[in-house]
Amino acid sequence: MASTMFSLASVTPSASISLQDNLKPKLKLGTSSQRAFPRKDFMKAKSNGRTTMAVAVNVSRFEGITMAPPDPILGVSEAFKADTNELKLNLGVGAYRTEDLQPYVLNVVKKAENLILERGENKEYLPIEGLAAFNKVTAELLFGKDNPVLQQQRVATIQGLSGTGSLRIAAALIERYFPGSKILISSPTWGNHKNIFNDARVPWSEYRYYDPKTVGLDFAGMIEDIKAAPEGSFILLHGCAHNPTGIDPTPEQWEKIADVIQEKNHIPFFDVAYQGFASGSLDEDASSVRMFAARGMELLVAQSYSKNLGLYGERIGAINVLCSSADAATRVKSQLKRLARPMYSNPPIHGAKIVANVVGTPELFSEWKEEMEMMAGRIKSVRQKLYDSLSAKDKSGKDWSFILKQIGMFSFTGLNKAQSENMADKWHVYMTKDGRISLAGLSAAKCEYLADAIIDSYYNVS
């Protein structure tokens, strides 16, 4: 431990106090409540007939670590909690809420948990790749139970720590076995994507996606940028319900995207965080992935069950790698496990058993689909009501129909940073600074209030 020694000769009380005051700003003490010179830091010594006192001041080895900026999404919730206004709305974090704006635990999840208790199942470690029953049903859910790629055993699947952890494992695979390869991500994209690839040391660039003029998809720009990427790049695609815009390609556009990716020998990498939660249909929301797979393309898919099963805190997801052969899939899976081992050793068991019970039990599976349709339906209804409220209140004739064209739990409002800050400062409506709102946190009763806030911010703040 580094230390600094100060020698204080015997002086008058007043001079001693003055000297201590002068030294205080220079001393780095553990807490603000410590005295300037803690008793344990004093050492007495004789020097030329005078008594001196030496002070050892500890200097932290972590002095060079700076304060990290707050997370742009989670920081919104912190600001919301600190607000005492009764009108406040948290439209930042993408977590489903009831019409009363309360967290919702799916009934089917409760039943699946009861099954675990009734069976008296233990809490032993899972294998590195996770729960076998989970891996089986999650791949079937994604690709379709009868998909030839599963029958041919061409998919390597391991359980991951929700979507984020699954993406991170895949990023490590890219960094280790495709050194120097670039990944293209949409502009804009989910805020954590860049963090994940930065930390994995995978170089990235952006492809155009959002067109602010139309508040829609810049399809021409997207295609042009994917074509211009170095051959063999990884292309990160949102399987459905693009975050943050809620803007998805049409089926015809997906086909053209696949054409360009195949022409350039790129590798598609899907992030599927909302299967079944976007449209209410598990099959429809997986159609983009299945279309690419049907073309014989090798690809990666990260999955999450945070949204569609409401298992936010269980951190349950998976990374799937579709290979051209069963032999390649076996080798890829072995390396996915090797990467996971030093990161977290093995994944948690509880959420995996919930998913395995829900998807693997016909009665629970049917009930889950009904609950997903209910949740997706509530979001669609508030999306419609917000559009109706904006259209009725805005007398300028502005077309707000882009809100209805978007899908999933988010809506990209088109508000800029200053306008988004006005939403919070004046209206107590908390959202990300890029103009994204989570409709999952909106109730029908609050739609008119939100419309007033959006109109005021859009027209009165530049």
Side-chain angles (χ1 to χ4, degrees):
M1 179 68 74
S3 63
T4 304
M5 303 294 292
F6 294 95
S7 178
L8 304 181
S10 299
V11 292
T12 62
S14 60
S16 177
I17 293 171
S18 175
L19 184 55
Q20 289 185 26
D21 289 341
N22 288 335
L23 284 171
K24 277 183 182 179
K26 302 174 184 176
L27 303 180
K28 298 186 182 298
L29 302 178
T31 66
S32 59
S33 63
Q34 285 182 289
R35 294 176 297 168
F37 300 109
R39 185 180 301 274
K40 65 180 180 181
D41 289 339
F42 279 98
M43 293 180 289
K44 292 185 179 181
K46 289 282 187 178
S47 177
N48 297 326
R50 295 184 300 170
T51 300
T52 62
M53 304 187 78
V55 184
V57 181
N58 293 334
V59 179
S60 173
R61 297 291 182 90
F62 304 102
E63 282 299 311
I65 296 179
T66 59
M67 181 66 72
D71 185 272
I73 297 177
L74 300 183
V76 174
S77 291
E78 293 173 4
F80 171 79
K81 289 177 182 177
D83 192 332
T84 58
N85 192 288
E86 62 181 13
L87 295 175
K88 66 180 182 178
L89 265 177
N90 185 1
L91 305 182
V93 177
Y96 182 80
R97 297 290 182 260
T98 65
E99 180 63 23
D100 297 326
L101 301 184
Q102 297 301 310
Y104 177 64
V105 178
L106 277 69
N107 292 324
V108 72
V109 167
K110 296 176 184 176
K111 292 180 179 179
E113 287 181 314
N114 285 335
L115 280 178
I116 296 171
L117 292 173
E118 290 170 5
R119 294 169 182 167
E121 296 178 357
N122 60 48
K123 300 292 185 180
E124 290 294 300
Y125 290 122
L126 287 176
I128 299 172
E129 65 264 36
L131 186 69
F134 166 80
N135 289 341
K136 179 179 183 294
V137 299
T138 198
E140 291 175 349
L141 194 73
L142 178 65
F143 292 102
K145 192 171 184 177
D146 299 322
N147 196 310
V149 301
L150 298 179
Q151 297 170 354
Q152 296 160 9
Q153 299 182 325
R154 293 198 288 119
V155 180
T157 301
I158 72 164
Q159 183 184 331
L161 304 184
S162 198
T164 300
S166 301
L167 286 161
R168 185 62 180 79
I169 287 288
L173 184 76
I174 293 170
E175 190 276 334
R176 182 168 296 185
Y177 295 102
F178 300 85
S181 293
K182 179 183 287 188
I183 185 163
L184 270 70
I185 58 181
S186 65
S187 176
T189 192
W190 175 49
N192 214 18
H193 279 149
K194 295 177 182 179
N195 296 333
I196 291 166
F197 295 109
N198 282 337
D199 275 15
R201 294 181 173 84
V202 175
W204 56 267
S205 62
E206 296 179 306
Y207 60 83
R208 282 167 284 178
Y209 194 85
Y210 172 70
D211 183 352
K213 295 178 182 178
T214 63
V215 198
L217 177 65
D218 183 358
F219 184 66
M222 179 183 184
I223 293 296
E224 185 177 338
D225 291 343
I226 293 175
K227 280 184 177 179
E231 184 172 337
S233 296
F234 288 81
I235 312 298
L236 187 65
L237 303 164
H238 299 227
C240 63
H242 182 274
N243 181 1
T245 67
I247 302 163
D248 284 358
T250 65
E252 294 75 24
Q253 289 172 331
W254 273 122
E255 292 282 359
K256 292 180 181 177
I257 292 168
D259 288 341
V260 175
I261 288 176
Q262 281 189 298
E263 289 168 10
K264 291 294 304 242
N265 199 31
H266 294 325
I267 302 176
F269 184 172
F270 286 90
D271 185 356
V272 177
Y274 309 99
Q275 186 182 355
F277 193 77
S279 67
S281 166
L282 289 163
D283 292 328
E284 183 176 340
D285 290 346
S287 60
S288 59
V289 174
R290 294 177 187 180
M291 182 267 287
F292 276 63
R295 283 174 168 238
M297 302 172 72
E298 293 188 303
L299 51 87
L300 295 83
V301 188
Q303 287 171 279
S304 169
Y305 289 92
S306 291
K307 307 300 189 296
N308 56 14
L309 264 172
L311 298 176
Y312 306 100
E314 298 293 350
R315 312 312 296 142
I316 179 66
I319 177 67
N320 306 265
V321 182
L322 172 57
C323 304
S324 60
S325 69
D327 177 64
T330 299
R331 286 183 279 108
V332 167
K333 185 172 182 178
S334 74
Q335 293 298 339
L336 291 173
K337 290 163 60 178
R338 185 183 180 190
L339 292 165
R341 175 63 169 158
M343 280 193 192
Y344 53 83
S345 189
N346 48 5
I349 195 169
H350 191 69
K353 286 187 174 181
I354 292 173
V355 175
N357 284 339
V358 170
V359 183
T361 307
E363 297 80 12
L364 294 183
F365 187 60
S366 296
E367 186 174 339
W368 178 39
K369 289 192 287 186
E370 291 176 3
E371 284 197 85
M372 271 192 296
E373 290 175 5
M374 178 274 293
M375 292 189 292
R378 196 190 83 75
I379 293 174
K380 289 177 182 177
S381 69
V382 294
R383 185 184 289 279
Q384 180 68 53
K385 185 159 186 180
L386 176 61
Y387 164 76
D388 292 341
S389 298
L390 285 166
S391 299
K393 290 174 178 290
D394 185 0
K395 307 302 181 184
S396 70
K398 175 179 171 58
D399 183 8
W400 293 95
S401 63
F402 62 85
I403 291 176
L404 297 180
K405 296 173 185 176
Q406 297 166 356
I407 189 173
M409 68 194 317
F410 299 115
S411 176
F412 219 50
T413 62
L415 298 180
N416 61 32
K417 181 179 179 181
Q419 293 164 341
S420 298
E421 289 174 346
N422 183 69
M423 295 282 285
D425 297 341
K426 180 177 178 179
W427 293 90
H428 309 278
V429 175
Y430 293 86
M431 56 194 289
T432 54
K433 296 297 188 287
D434 58 5
R436 186 197 81 173
I437 59 174
S438 172
L439 295 174
L442 177 65
S443 65
K446 292 280 190 176
C447 283
E448 290 197 12
Y449 178 76
L450 178 59
D452 287 333
I454 291 174
I455 290 171
D456 171 65
S457 301
Y458 182 77
Y459 289 108
N460 297 324
V461 179
S462 58

